[in-house]
Amino acid sequence: MDASMALPVASLNAERYQSVMGFWMLWAVLSFVIVLGAALWFMWVYRRKSDNDKTEYVPGNHWVEFFGIFFTSVFVAVMFVWGWRDYAAMVQPRLNETEINVIGQKWLWNIQYANGRTLTNHLVVEVNKPHKAIVTSKDVLHSFYIPAFRMKTDAVPGMYTVLRFTPTMTGEFDLFCAEYCGTSHSGMIGKVTVLSKEDYARWYDGMMKLGQNDDHEGQPKLTLAQLGRKVYETKTCVACHSTDGSRMVGPSFKGIFGTDRVFADGSKANADENYLRESIMNPMKKVVKGFAPQMPAMRGLLNDEEVNQLIAYIKTLK
Ligand code: CUA
C-alpha cells in the first residue's frame, strides 16, 4: 500500500499525496473485502437447499438505506475537505520562493534561472526551499511532470501555468513530459537534481559542475532581469514606458507587478505574469484606463525567453 517503495517521496506535496492515496487504498481494499466477503457469505448461507426452496419476499429496509447514504456522504465530505486542504497548501504562494522559468518545446525543456543561466532538460533545485516554476510552451501542449514530487502542470503556448513545490530530499529524480506532443514525446525526458543549501549555492554561483551535461560553467554575464533590461531598451519598449514612474505614452513599468490594474471599460485585473505577457503580446486586450490604445502587438517580435526576461526585469522595478 506504500507506493514510496517504488517511487521516492521527495516533496512536501508528495508527502501529503501519499497520505491521501494511502487512505484511499486502505478504504478501497477494505470495501472490496467487505462487499465481496458479504456476497460470498450470503451465497453460501442462503444457497438453495431443495427444489421447494422459495425465496422470501423482502420489502426493503429504511435503516440500511439511511446508513448507506449517510456514511457514503460523510466519507465523500471528508475526502473533499482533505483534498481541498492539500490543494490549497499546494497552490499557496510562499515567502522567498525561488522563481524558475520553464519553457517546453518539441522535444525538450528549457529552464531559465534568475542569474541568467539556462539549462536544457535539467532542473536544479534546493532542498527544503519553496520554488515557483513558471511554465509555458513554444509550440504545442506539453506537461511538466516530476513523479517524485507528485506534481505536474500543463505547459500551454501563449500563457503561464505555475507549479509550486518544496523538495524534501536530495538526490536525482525524473522529469517527464506527460502530454502526448508528437514524434519524440517519449524522448522528452530530463532530470531533477535536488541539492543541499550549500551545494546549491556553489552550483548557482558556477563553482560546481553537475555531470557532463552541465556545460554552463562559471557566472553568466547578465542576470535574467539584466537581459530583460536589454530587451526593454532594444525592442522599443523604452520609447513609451518609463521605469521611474513618470507618465509617457504608455503606463510606467515601475511598481506595476502584482498590483491591480484598472482598464478603460472599468474592469480590473492583477498584474501577474500572465497579465504582463498578454499585455506585451496582445496589448489591445486590456487597455489601462487613461491611456490611448496605441501599442503595437509584440507577438512574433519577442520570443518566449525574451518575454520571460522582460517580465523578470519588470518585477525588479519596485
Ligand atoms: Cu512534450 Cu510530450
Side-chain angles (χ1 to χ4, degrees), residues 74-256:
V74 169
F75 182 77
V76 170
V78 167
M79 293 318 294
F80 173 78
V81 171
W82 194 341
W84 179 278
R85 194 198 61 174
D86 286 0
Y87 180 77
M90 184 173 79
V91 298
Q92 190 184 25
R94 281 161 213 289
L95 287 172
N96 307 320
E97 287 172 328
T98 301
E99 287 191 359
I100 297 168
N101 282 102
V102 176
I103 304 174
Q105 69 183 88
K106 294 189 221 175
W107 286 279
L108 52 87
W109 297 106
N110 268 320
I111 320 263
Q112 293 176 299
Y113 283 85
N115 65 357
R117 271 177 106 154
T118 301
L119 299 187
T120 300
N121 287 338
H122 194 183
L123 175 71
V124 182
V125 292
E126 179 183 337
V127 73
N128 296 327
K129 180 92 167 50
H131 291 75
K132 176 186 180 187
I134 305 164
V135 182
T136 189
S137 163
K138 271 187 195 296
D139 37 42
V140 299
L141 286 177
H142 302 274
S143 179
F144 187 68
Y145 178 35
I146 306 170
F149 293 176
R150 309 294 188 278
M151 301 202 88
K152 68 175 158 186
T153 188
D154 279 354
V156 185
M159 68 173 274
Y160 293 114
T161 50
V162 165
L163 199 65
R164 291 191 152 90
F165 55 87
T166 304
T168 51
M169 189 194 283
T170 55
E172 264 194 19
F173 308 102
D174 291 317
L175 168 62
F176 293 136
C177 176
E179 183 79 55
Y180 181 66
C181 55
T183 314
S184 294
H185 159 69
S186 60
M188 200 166 161
I189 293 174
K191 65 177 175 178
V192 181
T193 305
V194 183
L195 298 173
S196 68
K197 192 177 165 67
E198 298 73 30
D199 283 350
Y200 183 83
R202 289 173 57 217
W203 172 80
Y204 194 75
D205 293 339
M207 310 295 283
M208 185 174 78
K209 197 173 159 177
L210 293 172
Q212 290 182 323
N213 288 338
D214 196 7
D215 50 5
H216 301 265
E217 269 190 298
Q219 191 67 266
K221 290 183 188 71
L222 296 174
T223 66
L224 205 61
Q226 286 166 340
L227 289 166
R229 189 186 165 86
K230 288 199 102 167
V231 172
Y232 166 79
E233 287 164 351
T234 57
K235 301 279 178 166
T236 71
C237 318
V238 62
C240 302
H241 299 278
S242 79
T243 57
D244 61 0
S246 61
R247 188 192 162 99
M248 294 168 72
V249 177
S252 175
F253 285 168
K254 185 182 167 71
I256 61 171

Side-chain angles (χ1 to χ4, degrees), residues 40-54:
L40 290 171
W41 169 255
F42 286 128
M43 273 167 67
W44 175 252
V45 170
Y46 297 105
R47 70 190 181 280
R48 199 178 187 200
K49 284 165 185 137
S50 73
D51 285 347
N52 305 330
D53 205 358
K54 289 254 166 61

